[in-house]
Amino acid sequence: MFWLLAILAYLLGSLSFAILLSRLAGGPDPRASGSGNPGATNMLRVAGKKLAVMTLIGDLFKGLLPILIAKLLGLSLHQQAWIGLAAVVGHLYPLYFRFRGGKGVATAAGMLLGLYPPAALLALAAWALVFLLTRTSSLASLIATPLTLPLLAWQQPAALLPACVLTGLIVWRHRSNLRDLFAGRERRF
């Protein structure tokens, strides 16, 4: 059951709400506009608030749903965390869109919400605070995700290894943002 759910989570994660919603609205492919990232932040830039919010909800849901199903089926927290990570990997490297995906932040938030809601709330609070202070979404994401690790280590150690892999993947996907942050040319809102 674990492997089947992990594969299904990856396939669900591979659905890019940014690309699908853009196509439905007759807009440009978000991978070819703005920052080139098919995620909620870029959708806000290239398609407006409504499609950005819909993208955010869709991406969050695809990280949450596999965890909820795994919980219902009685899988362990450790297994749930790996299944959630499979959904995030699907978002990062989507099968349906030539493996050109987003940065995984909203899908990771859904994963954390399903695994341990206090970790998701901590990440949200940290993201919001950093964003309000800097107006930089990438910096907020790069700070919020690692901040959940000590809390998970303390309260949910079974989820720690997949959460560390998640954090590493998010940092990896933000490597161009890190270069831009250090060079002082990262986009702000």
Side-chain angles (χ1 to χ4, degrees), residues 1 16 24 34 39 42-43 47 74 79 83 91 113 120 140-141 147-148 153 156-158 160 166 180-181 184-185:
M1 185 58 68
S16 176
L24 285 173
N42 195 39
M43 286 296 282
Q79 291 172 315
I83 288 168
H91 180 83
L113 184 62
S141 300
L147 279 178
T148 64
Q156 301 292 338
L160 185 59
L166 170 74
D180 289 344
L181 282 164
R185 59 178 185 260

Side-chain angles (χ1 to χ4, degrees), residues 1-2 4-10 12-13 59-89 106-117 119-120 152 156 158-159 162-163 166:
M1 185 58 68
F2 168 77
L4 177 61
L5 277 178
I7 291 167
L8 291 174
Y10 171 78
L12 177 63
D59 287 350
L60 188 114
F61 183 71
K62 69 185 183 183
L64 175 62
L65 182 63
I67 302 254
L68 296 178
I69 293 170
K71 278 185 185 190
L72 284 173
L73 294 174
L75 273 66
S76 71
L77 182 68
H78 185 71
Q79 291 172 315
Q80 292 171 36
W82 286 113
I83 288 168
L85 184 62
V88 175
V89 170
T107 307
M111 172 186 165
L112 288 172
L113 184 62
L115 286 174
Y116 187 60
L152 289 171
Q156 301 292 338
L166 170 74

Side-chain angles (χ1 to χ4, degrees), residues 31-48:
R31 296 171 300 173
S33 303
S35 69
N37 179 50
T41 302
N42 195 39
M43 286 296 282
L44 183 60
R45 287 186 186 111
V46 301

